[in-house]
Amino acid sequence: MRPVAYAGEPGAFAEDAVLVAFGEVARTAVGSFRDVFEAVAEGRAGGGVLPIENLLNGTVREVYDLLLEHDLAVTGEVVVPVRLCLAALPGQSIDNIGRVYSHIQALGQAEAFLRSRPWATLTTYNTAGAGKLIRAAGERGAAAVLSPRAAALFGLEILADDIQGAADNRTRFLVVAPAGLDGAMASPAGPSGSARRTTLAFAVRNEPGALLRALRAFADRAVNLSKLESRPSRTAAWEYVFWADLDADAADPPCAAALDELRGVSTMVRVFGSYPRAAENAPA
């Protein structure tokens, strides 16, 4: 069985997402979100797990851009609680710390705590990678913002716990796999009887009423858009691609009819997949 790819190091929240989605499966850590897509596209991994949205910091926009670049399907989602701590090499106190490392998303999620002291904050490619960096360099006077599990894996001592900006902080992850792949690894099961979600992207002409006509296709059929946002198209100046999550399966008759109408009023429509909505009480 090919492994599931995720970006970061062992102990990263993305690895937690793999475990929530699939249990104790073979998994491989790679260096970046792009590396996850390439590992799946080239067949080195059977699927990939990527963060798409955090409760506090919002969308991970790079993942949307990479979805458009690659011919992969979205086959599932999981929601992972995000607890953050400040950890450093053993024997240090919080007063000894001058530098704090972490991924930019985690630094944003712990912003209120980090503003409480005049620390220099430095970005790394991953939360667990920040802990690995400090341990490998033996860097004193520095701390990492990461999960308690990652702190333990790298032998770091927790100086402050639960530093995230909200007690219920959590991140939603998407599962991607080659289009048309059928298998348990590619499609994590949702809760029994769970509702379905569909992720798609579309573009419209830059003219009055174009977006309204696109959205009316769903409103007229009572298909709810739980999320809608825009990203630069990267093909023309000041042109945009709209990303939407629908609270429906693309095969449901009202949703299928809405998508047909959308294609008639859009310049591009791409449906990435329909999948069970994740449970919100995923284990830590």
Side-chain angles (χ1 to χ4, degrees):
M1 183 178 292
R2 289 176 296 174
V4 178
Y6 66 93
E9 300 287 343
F13 290 108
E15 186 187 37
D16 293 342
V18 174
L19 295 172
V20 171
F22 302 111
E24 281 289 350
V25 298
R27 51 195 182 272
T28 182
V30 298
S32 68
F33 297 150
R34 181 175 293 278
D35 291 339
V36 173
F37 277 88
E38 291 179 354
V40 178
E42 294 168 6
R44 291 181 281 112
V49 174
L50 298 129
I52 192 63
E53 183 178 15
N54 175 262
L55 184 71
L56 297 176
N57 257 30
T59 299
V60 184
R61 294 179 174 180
E62 181 185 353
V63 174
Y64 276 143
D65 295 338
L66 288 166
L67 276 168
L68 275 180
E69 283 186 37
H70 294 82
D71 186 23
L72 299 181
V74 177
T75 61
E77 67 173 13
V78 293
V79 174
V80 174
V82 175
R83 288 184 56 219
L84 296 171
C85 69
L86 185 76
L89 293 173
Q92 298 187 93
S93 76
I94 199 168
D95 295 324
N96 301 137
I97 301 304
R99 301 171 303 284
V100 176
Y101 296 92
S102 196
H103 189 276
I104 191 169
Q105 280 271 337
L107 293 174
Q109 292 164 38
E111 180 184 9
F113 172 81
L114 295 174
R115 284 202 314 265
S116 67
R117 291 173 180 256
W119 289 314
T121 55
L122 304 166
T123 59
T124 59
Y125 68 98
N126 182 252
T127 53
K132 182 180 181 180
L133 180 153
I134 290 171
R135 168 54 69 184
E139 187 174 350
R140 305 189 71 79
V145 174
L146 71 179
S147 72
R149 183 169 81 91
L153 283 173
F154 293 109
L156 302 180
E157 191 172 279
I158 294 177
L159 304 179
D161 211 349
D162 287 324
I163 64 173
Q164 66 277 2
D168 61 347
N169 187 29
R170 54 195 185 272
T171 296
R172 176 179 163 230
F173 290 79
L174 296 181
V175 178
V176 297
L181 184 65
D182 184 22
M185 175 172 286
S187 304
S192 178
S194 62
R196 303 279 288 179
R197 192 195 304 275
T198 297
T199 294
L200 71 146
F202 65 93
V204 296
R205 294 176 182 84
N206 188 5
E207 61 186 32
L211 180 58
L212 177 61
R213 288 191 293 273
L215 298 181
R216 186 176 289 141
F218 300 103
D220 288 349
R221 295 168 177 84
V223 176
N224 187 53
L225 275 70
S226 56
K227 187 177 183 185
L228 177 69
E229 66 178 271
S230 62
R231 292 287 297 139
S233 71
R234 298 191 172 190
T235 58
W238 317 122
E239 296 287 341
Y240 298 89
V241 172
F242 294 92
W243 288 84
D245 285 336
L246 311 177
D247 290 341
D249 192 294
D252 294 342
C255 190
L259 290 171
D260 283 344
E261 183 174 330
L262 178 66
R263 292 183 180 98
V265 297
S266 301
T267 58
M268 180 276 289
V269 177
R270 185 168 168 192
V271 177
F272 289 90
S274 299
Y275 46 89
R277 293 186 63 176
E280 287 290 325
N281 59 343

